[in-house]
């Protein structure tokens, strides 16, 4: 079947009008009607219920639209990529990321990304709200937890590590001998489930300690927790990708440099997530490769900075 006929069908389904599609395409309404009639004849099914006032999809039409739209989109992307093989990826990539990670890790990479892919437009959507990749038209998302639904593909970009940090002045006034001491003082807490009630610690021998935590300051954004820790309001559990510069400059101190810390799982990282489909667009593929390479360099630098600052811990 002619792919252009499928595009006409999809346009009519979304607009609910032959005449509207005809005006947009600058053709006669009768030609649009003939295209739909031809498709219906080939399928042997009526795709639209027609009245003098309204045009609506039948059950068969709804099913047909759901099946053909992804195919048409993939064919269009494949054609565009084939034409642009010598010019690199083209089009717009919609990338979803949390506010803190976007500011700390993605924005600094935009210059290098533009230099490598000059024909690719990136639309960076920074939000801490949960988004539906398909419904919201997201090409790629970066998440700091791998738990997602079955309709997406997940690939690890980089490892991360969490630390309990505080300002040097706060730590001088509140020396902490072991992680268990956190149970007796107010800490700065993240509002996510699993982060606000207890923190986990693992020593060099592999022993794990669970410490109940409390405190009167809770925040939904890690950038705010970092600023509160810098202001001397208490210790916070923060990821290496956010605090390596603060540790290197002595603005924050790792309270327990000989312990691994986490709130949920010690195997923490950044994951790339994209809608499950048989055809992975080239713009998504090259972006994942770029992010994995660039973020590995960022996090290696973070690890060196944190290791260099560990001698200043309590």
């Amino acid at each position: 079947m002619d792919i252009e006929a499928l595009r006409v069908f999809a346009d009519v389904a979304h607009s609910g009008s032959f005449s509207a599609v005809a005006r947009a395409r600058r053709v006669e309404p009768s030609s649009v009607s003939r295209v739909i009639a031809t498709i219906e004849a080939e399928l042997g099914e009526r795709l639209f219920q027609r009245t003098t006032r309204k045009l609506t999809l039948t059950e068969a039409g709804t099913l047909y639209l759901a099946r053909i739209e992804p195919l048409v989109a993939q064919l269009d992307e494949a054609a565009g990529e084939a034409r642009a093989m010598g010019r690199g990826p083209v089009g717009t990539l919609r990338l979803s990321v949390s506010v803190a990670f976007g500011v700390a890790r993605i924005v600094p990479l935009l210059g290098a990304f533009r230099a490598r892919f000059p024909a690719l437009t990136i639309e960076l959507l920074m939000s801490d709200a949960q988004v539906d990749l398909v419904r919201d038209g997201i090409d790629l998302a970066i998440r700091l937890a791998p738990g997602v639904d079955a309709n997406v593909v997940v690939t690890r970009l980089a490892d991360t590590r969490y630390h309990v940090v505080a300002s040097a002045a706060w730590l001088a006034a509140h020396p902490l001998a072991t992680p268990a001491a956190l149970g007796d003082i107010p800490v700065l807490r993240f509002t996510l489930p699993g982060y606000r009630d207890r923190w986990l610690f693992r020593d060099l021998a592999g022993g794990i300690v669970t410490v109940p935590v409390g405190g009167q300051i809770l925040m939904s954004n890690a950038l705010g927790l970092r600023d509160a820790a810098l202001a001397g309001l208490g210790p916070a559990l923060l990821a290496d990708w956010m605090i390596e510069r603060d540790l290197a400059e002595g603005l924050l101190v790792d309270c327990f440099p000989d312990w691994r810390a986490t709130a949920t799982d010690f195997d923490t990282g950044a994951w790339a997530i994209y809608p499950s489909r048989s055809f992975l667009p080239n713009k998504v593929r090259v972006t994942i490769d770029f992010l994995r390479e660039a973020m590995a360099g960022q996090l290696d630098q973070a690890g060196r900075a944190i290791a260099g600052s560990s001698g200043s811990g309590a």
Side-chain angles (χ1 to χ4, degrees):
M1 185 174 293
D2 183 3
I3 187 174
E4 190 60 29
L6 298 180
R7 292 193 184 96
V8 171
F9 163 71
D11 289 347
V12 172
H14 289 299
S15 68
S17 169
F18 288 157
S19 58
V21 174
R23 285 194 300 270
R25 291 173 169 268
R26 298 183 180 179
V27 297
E28 293 296 322
S30 59
S31 68
V32 175
S33 179
R34 282 194 298 272
V35 170
I36 301 302
T38 299
I39 297 175
E40 290 178 327
E42 289 189 23
L43 296 176
E45 291 285 349
R46 182 174 287 275
L47 300 178
F48 292 98
Q49 295 287 358
R50 299 165 174 82
T51 67
T52 56
R53 293 187 175 183
K54 192 166 60 172
L55 194 67
T56 58
L57 284 168
T58 63
E59 183 178 357
T62 300
L63 176 62
Y64 191 61
L65 178 67
R67 294 290 190 181
I68 65 99
E69 273 200 305
L71 298 177
V72 172
Q74 290 177 13
L75 287 170
D76 287 342
E77 287 198 57
E81 289 175 0
R83 288 191 293 267
M85 280 299 292
R87 298 182 286 119
V90 297
T92 297
L93 180 110
R94 287 168 56 82
L95 174 61
S96 172
V97 66
S98 70
V99 175
F101 197 83
V103 170
R105 281 292 178 248
I106 303 303
V107 171
L109 297 177
L110 293 181
F113 185 87
R114 286 284 298 120
R116 186 174 298 186
F117 309 116
L120 185 59
T121 297
I122 185 166
E123 188 175 343
L124 187 58
L125 308 170
M126 292 190 289
S127 173
D128 294 325
Q130 190 70 26
V131 298
D132 184 303
L133 272 61
V134 175
R135 181 195 65 204
D136 298 325
I138 305 298
D139 295 302
L140 181 65
I142 300 175
R143 296 289 179 264
L144 302 178
V148 292
D149 62 58
N151 297 319
V152 299
V153 179
V154 180
T155 181
R156 194 181 190 110
L157 290 175
D159 297 332
T160 62
R161 182 171 173 176
Y162 283 78
H163 305 261
V164 175
V165 295
S167 70
W170 185 94
L171 199 56
H174 306 83
L176 301 172
T178 66
L182 293 170
D184 301 322
I185 61 172
V187 304
L188 303 170
R189 295 188 288 161
F190 202 38
T191 56
L192 279 179
Y195 283 75
R196 57 190 296 163
D197 300 321
R198 54 102 174 99
W199 294 345
L200 307 178
F201 295 87
R202 186 171 68 198
D203 62 20
L204 296 177
I208 296 177
V209 176
T210 301
V211 179
V213 294
Q216 291 71 47
I217 298 178
L218 295 94
M219 298 188 190
S220 62
N221 186 282
L223 291 172
L225 285 177
R226 169 184 170 270
D227 287 348
L230 287 168
L233 299 181
L237 180 65
L238 295 171
D240 48 8
W241 48 263
M242 177 176 291
I243 57 172
E244 83 274 9
R245 182 176 298 176
D246 300 322
L247 289 171
E249 295 177 359
L251 300 176
L252 290 175
V253 177
D254 189 341
C255 299
F256 310 108
D258 294 330
W259 293 74
R260 290 288 300 268
T262 188
T264 55
D265 192 303
F266 288 100
D267 182 23
T268 53
W271 284 265
I273 301 173
Y274 52 92
S276 177
R277 51 194 172 193
S278 58
F279 175 79
L280 180 63
N282 187 43
K283 63 183 180 182
V284 175
R285 183 182 298 108
V286 299
T287 300
I288 291 173
D289 291 343
F290 170 85
L291 290 174
R292 183 178 285 117
E293 174 190 337
M295 287 171 55
Q298 286 180 330
L299 294 173
D300 284 346
Q301 182 179 357
R304 289 193 298 271
I306 289 171
S309 67
S310 63
S312 60

